[in-house]
């Protein structure tokens, strides 16, 4: 069976690794830059823009690809999944219209409001920076200021956390020629719930918590994600069973609403939630696996990912198709020293011993057997253990054994940070 992976980052390395466990599978990949980890798993790769639907389809036809698995959001936004389906190639990844759940935040909020879906924060859509500035100055509380389009996880400024009121106005004034969405600031603990979706049925994956801020202690600017963790029971103590059920119900209602709107959703749906004192609220949806969260859950996936892909495409997915190991994971990203503000490319890095961890390559090049940094996140180590402490220790040791002009967040998955999350949620709920 010939399967195409679209994308070349850490998430896509995890996707390729999971698919390659099926020994009857032959992998191919289209990626903008050569990922050495993915390349080693593939029969052939095309180094080309992942958003070029015509080129992706031509490559798929040339190699008689049966199924494609979409990695990043940009190809979804440019209609690559639609073009593949039109060519008769099954696709794990929503259509361009359904992917608007991620690519157009205004569409997402309007859909939730129209279909009376729970978990939608109060929001306002502004067509100009001036309109946004006026709203921010008049609003009595704190707001999150976002462009409605794709931002790579880095386009949000939150009042009371990153900026004050005038800082929010200043940021809004930079968002020209696009719709701006202003949302009530949500207080609580973030968690990610991802699910495989066949158009109707959702099968959930283990809960993950991502760490967006660049530096230890949740300080610094937002990044694409510096690391993430899961627990052996696939849940979190600061997310009650009722919270979990509510979040899953919100995602199911969203998929049902998309079907009613004529754009059925097939692929992976990523729900990023803020667990507030009154329950989970949707921060945003992504129309694909998260990065780094994909590396946590796909490392734990015990069932055959190829079979899951087939059932997503056929619309026959069920819970019995999907199982995950009851292990904890901690994912830590290695990044260039001055990432994200001023990362330096071309620095040599050496990987040392990494027991009980899986290494996923992201934005790294290999020249004559030597690994070198690029300007984004370099590689990720996923520690696996029976407890969070075991998984964190494995990931941390692996990261410390990397030499070069790189760094990582040392606190991701630590028991101290985990305890802080639990205490914060208890405080919010009295």
């Amino acid at each position: 069976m010939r399967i195409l992976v679209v994308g070349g980052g850490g998430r896509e390395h995890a996707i390729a690794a999971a698919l390659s466990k099926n020994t009857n599978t032959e992998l191919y990949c289209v990626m903008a830059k050569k990922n050495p980890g993915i390349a080693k798993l593939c029969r052939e790769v095309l180094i080309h823009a992942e958003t070029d639907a015509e080129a992706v389809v031509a490559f798929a036809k040339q190699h008689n690809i049966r199924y494609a698995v979409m990695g990043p959001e940009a190809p979804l936004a440019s209609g690559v999944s639609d073009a593949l389906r039109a060519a008769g190639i099954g696709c794990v990844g929503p259509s361009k219209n359904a992917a608007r759940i991620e690519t157009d935040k205004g569409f997402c909020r309007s859909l939730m409001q129209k279909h009376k879906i729970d978990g939608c924060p109060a929001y306002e859509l502004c067509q100009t920076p001036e309109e946004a500035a006026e709203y921010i100055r008049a609003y009595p509380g704190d707001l999150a200021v976002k462009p409605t389009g794709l931002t790579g996880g880095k386009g949000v400024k939150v009042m009371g956390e990153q900026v004050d009121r005038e800082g929010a106005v200043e940021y809004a004034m930079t968002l020209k020629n696009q719709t701006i969405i202003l949302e009530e600031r949500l207080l609580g603990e973030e968690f990610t719930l991802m699910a495989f979706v066949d158009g109707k049925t959702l099968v959930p994956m283990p809960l993950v918590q991502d760490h967006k801020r660049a530096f230890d202690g949740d300080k610094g600017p937002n990044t694409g994600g510096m690391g993430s963790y899961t627990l052996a029971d696939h849940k979190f103590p600061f997310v009650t069973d009722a919270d979990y059920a509510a979040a899953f119900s919100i995602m199911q209602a969203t998929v049902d609403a998309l079907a009613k709107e004529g754009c059925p959703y097939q692929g992976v749906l990523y729900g990023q939630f803020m667990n507030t004192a009154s329950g989970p609220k949707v921060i945003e949806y992504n129309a694909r696996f998260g990065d780094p969260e994909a590396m946590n859950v796909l490392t734990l996936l015990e069932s055959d990912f190829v079979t899951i892909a087939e059932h997503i495409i056929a619309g026959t997915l069920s819970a019995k198709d999907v199982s995950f190991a009851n292990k904890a994971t901690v994912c830590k990203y290695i990044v260039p020293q001055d990432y994200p503000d001023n990362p330096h490319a071309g620095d040599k890095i050496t990987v040392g011993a990494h027991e009980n961890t899986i290494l996923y390559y992201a934005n790294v090049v290999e020249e004559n057997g030597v690994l070198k940094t690029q300007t984004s996140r370099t590689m990720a180590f996923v520690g696996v253990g029976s407890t969070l402490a075991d998984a964190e220790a494995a990931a941390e040791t692996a990261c410390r054994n990397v030499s070069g002009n790189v760094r990582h967040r040392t606190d991701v998955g630590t028991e101290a940070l985990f305890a802080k999350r639990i205490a914060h949620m208890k405080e919010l709920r009295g």
Side-chain angles (χ1 to χ4, degrees):
M1 173 136 18
R2 296 184 171 193
I3 297 183
L4 175 68
V5 176
V6 178
R11 162 185 46 221
E12 290 74 38
H13 190 184
I15 289 170
L19 291 168
S20 70
K21 290 176 185 175
N22 183 316
T23 55
N24 294 318
T25 297
E26 198 171 78
L27 291 184
Y28 295 77
C29 184
V30 178
M31 48 186 159
K33 295 178 183 176
K34 187 176 180 180
N35 180 315
I38 298 173
K40 284 171 186 168
L41 296 171
C42 289
R43 176 71 181 268
E44 191 168 330
V45 301
L46 173 65
I47 307 302
H48 190 81
E50 302 150 3
T51 53
D52 185 342
E54 191 175 329
V56 174
V57 170
F59 181 74
K61 283 183 171 180
Q62 178 189 348
H63 295 289
N64 298 313
I65 297 297
R66 185 165 178 185
Y67 301 132
V69 179
M70 307 299 293
E73 60 275 22
L76 296 171
S78 63
V80 172
S81 56
D82 302 74
L84 285 164
R85 285 192 180 94
I89 297 163
C91 197
V92 177
S95 66
K96 181 177 179 177
N97 268 343
R100 286 182 296 162
I101 202 77
E102 172 176 9
T103 62
D104 183 346
K105 293 181 182 68
F107 168 80
C108 175
R109 294 310 190 201
S110 299
L111 180 84
M112 293 183 74
Q113 188 176 54
K114 177 181 176 181
H115 292 271
K116 297 180 172 58
I117 298 170
D118 289 339
C120 185
Y123 71 95
E124 183 75 15
L125 292 174
C126 300
Q127 302 306 316
T128 66
E130 291 76 17
E131 183 185 344
E134 185 179 346
Y135 187 90
I136 292 166
R137 287 194 173 113
Y139 190 80
D142 289 336
L143 293 162
V145 184
K146 313 176 183 180
T148 55
L150 295 174
T151 63
K154 303 170 191 173
V156 180
K157 299 288 185 188
V158 181
M159 290 170 60
E161 189 175 309
Q162 295 157 299
V163 292
D164 58 14
R165 194 170 302 277
E166 281 309 305
V169 168
E170 197 175 306
Y171 177 59
M173 293 303 291
T174 69
L175 303 176
K176 301 184 187 300
N177 303 315
Q178 59 189 306
T179 304
I180 301 164
I181 186 164
L182 306 174
E183 297 176 354
E184 64 170 314
R185 181 191 179 193
L186 299 173
L187 295 175
E189 279 300 319
E190 291 186 30
F191 68 92
T192 298
L193 175 58
M194 294 184 286
F196 296 112
V197 188
D198 72 352
K200 293 180 181 176
T201 301
L202 282 76
V203 179
M205 304 181 213
L207 292 184
V208 192
Q209 189 176 59
D210 183 21
H211 298 68
K212 286 280 189 194
R213 295 300 194 93
F215 304 111
D216 283 19
D218 294 323
K219 293 181 168 54
N222 276 346
T223 68
M226 291 295 293
S228 46
Y229 66 91
T230 65
L231 299 185
D233 66 356
H234 303 161
K235 295 190 177 181
F236 292 137
F238 51 83
V239 179
T240 67
D241 288 346
D243 296 331
Y244 181 95
F248 186 76
S249 175
I250 288 166
M251 290 174 68
Q252 180 71 65
T254 303
V255 169
D256 293 345
L258 285 166
K260 288 174 186 171
E261 295 292 325
C263 39
Y265 193 101
Q266 285 186 314
V268 172
L269 182 61
Y270 169 116
Q272 186 183 20
F273 292 92
M274 182 71 81
N275 209 21
T276 71
S278 58
K281 303 273 190 181
V282 177
I283 298 173
E284 66 176 5
Y285 283 119
N286 289 337
R288 35 72 190 182
F289 279 112
D291 185 345
E293 296 97 332
M295 291 179 270
N296 298 89
V297 297
L298 290 175
T299 296
L300 293 174
L301 185 64
E302 290 185 321
S303 42
D304 178 27
F305 192 17
V306 175
T307 300
I308 294 169
E310 287 183 307
H311 289 186
I312 287 170
I313 290 161
T316 58
L317 185 69
S318 71
K320 71 179 189 305
D321 297 323
V322 183
S323 63
F324 296 90
N326 291 111
K327 298 277 192 180
T329 65
V330 172
C331 175
K332 299 197 183 199
Y333 250 121
I334 298 286
V335 301
Q337 190 63 244
D338 294 321
Y339 174 83
D341 292 333
N342 191 32
H344 186 260
D347 293 324
K348 177 183 173 182
I349 47 175
T350 304
V351 177
H354 49 281
E355 294 180 8
N356 300 319
T357 65
I358 309 295
L359 169 59
Y360 295 112
Y361 289 115
N363 204 239
V364 61
V365 295
E366 189 173 34
E367 297 174 356
N368 301 317
V370 175
L371 294 171
K372 294 184 178 180
T373 60
Q374 297 293 281
T375 56
S376 189
R377 296 172 296 175
T378 307
M379 60 179 64
F381 290 98
V382 178
V384 182
S386 56
T387 66
L388 182 67
D390 290 342
E392 191 278 328
E396 181 62 20
T397 300
C399 288
R400 289 183 186 275
N401 287 339
V402 174
S403 58
N405 189 32
V406 292
R407 65 173 185 86
H408 68 282
R409 269 190 68 167
T410 63
D411 63 345
V412 174
T414 58
E415 292 193 317
L417 189 61
F418 183 53
K420 189 178 170 185
R421 304 286 196 240
I422 296 168
H424 182 219
M425 204 68 230
K426 280 184 178 175
E427 182 187 346
L428 281 173
R429 289 186 161 167

